[in-house]
């Protein structure tokens, strides 16, 4: 048997703004930054905002930091005040991630890499990530935590369980 033929390149991903709405949730929106011009499936980074933050701010910042190469998908939390959002608990983060990923894959299916995924949490998005990361380590073997997660990141039990479950690396940003 011969080697599998590579898939033909996709048409360049064009016709979308740099920030797209994936779905309206209450007063907020799940958003994503598509890798404009992509001709092959691209990785996905899930960026979870902090308390008093907004998903569009998270997406814009991570997009710049990642040089607009991957998809950056940013779920919205619960309303706080003045179009700012936060997370009621870790379960709310879990549900929002799955909702936003489903919407992203539905809209950009051929352009989304099957995995692995990267978890990027800022402040409350990092603080509430421990259970999600342990339960989803194979899907999210890389985590980037900025300004949060300090209560569990130095816990050897968390590190061991994350690794045993498929986690490979955690990057801390201060």
């Amino acid at each position: 048997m011969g080697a599998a033929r590579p898939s033909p390149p996709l048409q360049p991903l064009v016709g979308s703004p740099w920030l797209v709405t994936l779905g309206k949730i209450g007063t907020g929106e799940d958003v994503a930054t598509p890798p404009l011009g992509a001709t092959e499936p691209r990785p996905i980074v899930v960026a979870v905002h902090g308390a008093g933050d907004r998903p569009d701010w998270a997406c814009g910042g991570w997009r710049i930091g990642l040089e607009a190469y991957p998809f950056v998908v940013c779920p919205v939390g619960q309303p706080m005040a003045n179009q700012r959002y936060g997370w009621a608990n870790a379960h709310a983060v879990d549900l929002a991630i799955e909702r936003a990923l489903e919407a992203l894959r539905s809209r950009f299916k051929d352009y989304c890499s099957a995995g692995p995924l990267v978890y990027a949490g800022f402040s409350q998005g990092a603080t509430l990530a421990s259970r999600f990361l342990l339960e989803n380590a194979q899907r999210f073997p890389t985590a980037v935590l900025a300004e949060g997660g300090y209560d569990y990141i130095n816990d050897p039990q968390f590190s061991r369980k994350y690794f045993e479950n498929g986690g490979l690396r955690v990057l801390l940003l201060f």
Side-chain angles (χ1 to χ4, degrees):
M1 273 222 175
R5 290 185 181 166
S7 299
L10 299 168
Q11 292 297 314
L13 180 55
V14 295
S16 292
W18 74 271
L19 184 71
V20 297
T21 299
L22 297 174
K24 188 150 179 65
I25 313 300
T27 62
E29 298 173 336
D30 292 335
V31 295
T33 63
L36 300 174
T39 56
E40 74 283 335
R42 294 286 179 88
I44 300 170
V45 175
V46 175
V48 180
H49 64 75
D53 209 343
R54 293 177 23 180
D56 53 335
W57 296 345
C59 260
W62 289 106
R63 179 181 190 265
I64 291 168
L66 297 167
E67 298 182 348
Y69 182 79
F71 282 95
V72 180
V73 59
C74 304
V76 64
Q78 290 75 36
M80 291 178 73
N82 299 324
Q83 297 204 347
R84 294 183 185 228
Y85 303 88
W87 301 101
N89 52 47
H91 183 66
V93 175
D94 298 2
L95 294 174
I97 289 171
E98 298 310 324
R99 176 188 69 225
L101 283 172
E102 184 178 325
L104 178 79
R105 288 191 172 116
S106 175
R107 183 164 178 181
F108 296 103
K109 55 185 165 264
D110 293 337
Y111 294 91
C112 294
S113 173
L117 302 152
V118 174
Y119 183 98
F122 174 75
S123 189
Q124 191 183 31
T127 300
L128 295 176
S130 64
R131 185 178 56 78
F132 181 85
L133 291 173
L134 292 176
E135 292 175 359
N136 294 278
Q138 285 191 335
R139 281 195 316 154
F140 290 85
T142 300
V144 182
L145 306 174
E147 294 187 23
Y150 309 125
D151 61 329
Y152 62 87
I153 201 62
N154 288 321
D155 180 354
Q157 289 183 345
F158 170 81
S159 299
R160 185 178 61 254
K161 287 179 186 174
Y162 184 58
F163 178 74
E164 288 171 353
N165 292 345
L168 298 176
R169 63 183 55 90
V170 176
L171 174 65
L172 301 176
L173 305 176
F174 293 93

